[in-house]
Amino acid sequence: MGSANSNHDLATPSALSAALSSPNHLIVDLRDEGERYHRLAGAVSAVWDREKKEMPLSSLPQDKETVLIVHCASGNRVKEAIPFLQAAGYKNCINGGGPGRYPMPDGAPPAPPPPLWETYGDRRIIFQQSFDELGSSTYTYLFGCPSTGEALIVDPVVEHVERDLAAVAQAGLKLKLALNTHCHADHITGTGEMKKRLPDLKSAISAESGAKADIHFKDGDEFTFGAHKLLILGTPGHTNGCSSFHVPAAGLVCTGDALFIGGCGRTDFQQGSSEGLYDSVHNKLFTLPNETVVYPGHDYQGRFYSTIGGEKENNPRLGMKKTKAEFVDIMAKLELAYPKQIDRALPANLMCGFPE
């Protein structure tokens, strides 16, 4: 394997799978004790000191040819740790990202960690991924700036408003904006209920969605939360009002229903377009750096995130060098059932979560 991963980018799914299949590999966990959610079987602990830029080596093998699969919460600390390990003689190091990329132990629920403080370059950010286990398998994302306390939330679900507001309070944040990636048909947004609890909270959604909101954004707009920016990428196709949210400083993108892990949202209702979705993903998402972490709107197999490079390489609908014609044909043959919640959810979501 050598030092092929010398640029320390997040390993693609195929590279990670190959490393995990190596008979001489070891998973190295850089996370602090308080971050040890979903502890990986067989992993050794070697906490990365963010201030001193070092880690203990006592738990690592003497065999310097061992393939070290180094992970933290998202892979950013790994970028600092790999040069340190290589200087210590460990040449076969790969950036394994966070625990959501690994096979889950039997019976482990797809539950998120508490809000995390993560380092991105010289900045820090609070980030939480939460899951709706009640039926829609929706992911909700909380972003916060620890220096100012400003926070944004993406795609809240009405049944989990209490949970999400508790997370905001736990992290000591003030929620300023609730954004929706699109007008959802599989659950009722929690945005309206949150606004009842937090009078200063503003709601935001694409102007193309036709939904009520305090702020209607468009492709190219940006929102700030403290020292960080969230950029709007117009990614219509699942619906005509879909958007993705790019946080460059964190190297991640929330893709809503435009791009899933190994899939995408359907295109047969709400002014959807297979041709439009293909163009959106290839022109707006697949042009991001390969190491950009993809946080989808849903996942139905207990996975948490992927990468742009991984989806380009492995997504059976939109990746693997599929042509637009091939994608359109795939989508036309899905024969999906009528969405179970659409008659309940869509009218409410057009009114920011409140039916007329």
Side-chain angles (χ1 to χ4, degrees):
M1 178 171 277
S3 56
N5 199 52
S6 58
N7 63 1
H8 325 317
D9 289 341
L10 198 65
T12 64
S14 59
L16 180 59
S17 178
L20 289 167
S21 299
S22 169
N24 187 30
H25 80 269
L26 181 69
I27 300 174
V28 181
D29 189 343
L30 303 181
R31 294 175 294 167
D32 298 331
E33 198 63 42
E35 298 179 70
R36 298 287 168 74
Y37 57 94
H38 300 325
R39 187 65 184 270
L40 301 174
V44 300
S45 174
V47 177
W48 180 250
D49 189 317
R50 304 180 197 228
E51 301 298 327
K52 296 180 180 180
K53 306 298 183 185
E54 63 182 23
M55 58 189 282
L57 299 175
S58 57
S59 60
L60 301 188
Q62 293 185 353
D63 181 3
K64 299 297 178 69
E65 296 300 316
T66 303
V67 177
L68 298 184
I69 304 170
V70 191
H71 87 90
C72 55
S74 64
N76 288 284
R77 272 169 283 186
V78 180
K79 292 182 180 181
E80 297 179 344
I82 284 180
F84 177 85
L85 289 167
Q86 290 177 332
Y90 295 97
K91 302 303 182 184
N92 298 329
C93 303
I94 75 164
N95 186 337
R101 307 184 77 214
Y102 300 78
M104 298 296 294
D106 290 342
L116 292 178
W117 291 51
E118 182 59 283
T119 299
Y120 297 100
D122 60 351
R123 298 180 178 182
R124 303 190 79 194
I125 189 171
I126 295 171
F127 173 69
Q128 183 188 46
Q129 180 187 40
S130 301
F131 184 73
D132 173 28
E133 74 288 351
L134 300 178
S136 74
S137 298
T138 297
Y139 278 127
T140 297
Y141 299 99
L142 173 66
F143 295 93
C145 175
S147 61
T148 66
E150 290 186 338
L152 314 176
I153 195 165
V154 172
D155 286 345
V157 176
V158 70
E159 288 85 357
H160 296 296
V161 166
E162 294 286 352
R163 175 201 67 188
D164 295 338
L165 293 183
V168 171
Q170 176 188 350
L173 299 171
K174 180 179 181 181
L175 199 58
K176 61 180 285 188
L177 190 63
L179 304 98
N180 280 286
T181 54
H182 62 292
C183 192
H184 306 280
D186 54 9
H187 68 274
I188 294 178
T189 178
T191 305
E193 186 61 33
M194 286 183 168
K195 283 173 58 65
K196 286 173 58 178
R197 315 279 186 94
L198 303 173
D200 294 334
L201 179 66
K202 302 296 184 184
S203 60
I205 197 168
S206 166
E208 298 296 326
S209 70
K212 180 180 178 181
D214 297 309
I215 300 169
H216 287 108
F217 54 70
K218 63 183 184 303
D219 178 58
D221 286 350
E222 64 180 49
F223 297 97
T224 61
F225 55 106
H228 303 283
K229 291 182 179 180
L230 181 147
L231 307 181
I232 305 299
L233 304 178
T235 51
H238 168 60
T239 74
N240 64 335
C242 283
S243 298
S244 297
F245 304 145
H246 183 211
V247 183
L252 65 83
V253 59
C254 296
T255 55
D257 288 18
L259 181 64
F260 293 157
I261 301 170
C264 63
R266 62 195 296 171
T267 58
D268 58 336
F269 69 107
Q270 285 183 268
Q271 296 80 48
S273 165
S274 296
E275 292 87 349
L277 181 56
Y278 185 93
D279 290 340
S280 292
V281 170
H282 281 262
N283 296 334
K284 292 290 187 176
L285 298 177
F286 281 0
T287 54
L288 296 172
N290 283 340
E291 65 270 21
T292 304
V293 182
V294 172
Y295 284 101
H298 306 272
D299 190 76
Y300 308 98
Q301 299 182 40
R303 300 165 299 186
F304 294 92
Y305 56 84
S306 180
T307 64
I308 289 295
E311 293 309 310
K312 287 162 69 174
E313 180 180 352
N314 298 310
N315 192 299
R317 294 184 184 176
L318 287 156
M320 304 173 69
K321 299 183 179 180
K322 287 285 195 303
T323 65
K324 185 188 294 188
E326 288 174 320
F327 175 68
V328 171
D329 184 60
I330 289 170
M331 299 304 288
K333 293 177 178 177
L334 290 180
E335 298 183 355
L336 298 171
Y338 186 75
K340 294 180 179 179
Q341 297 295 324
I342 189 170
D343 293 332
R344 165 181 173 263
L346 191 56
N349 290 333
L350 286 169
M351 299 301 295
C352 196
F354 294 115
E356 291 186 277

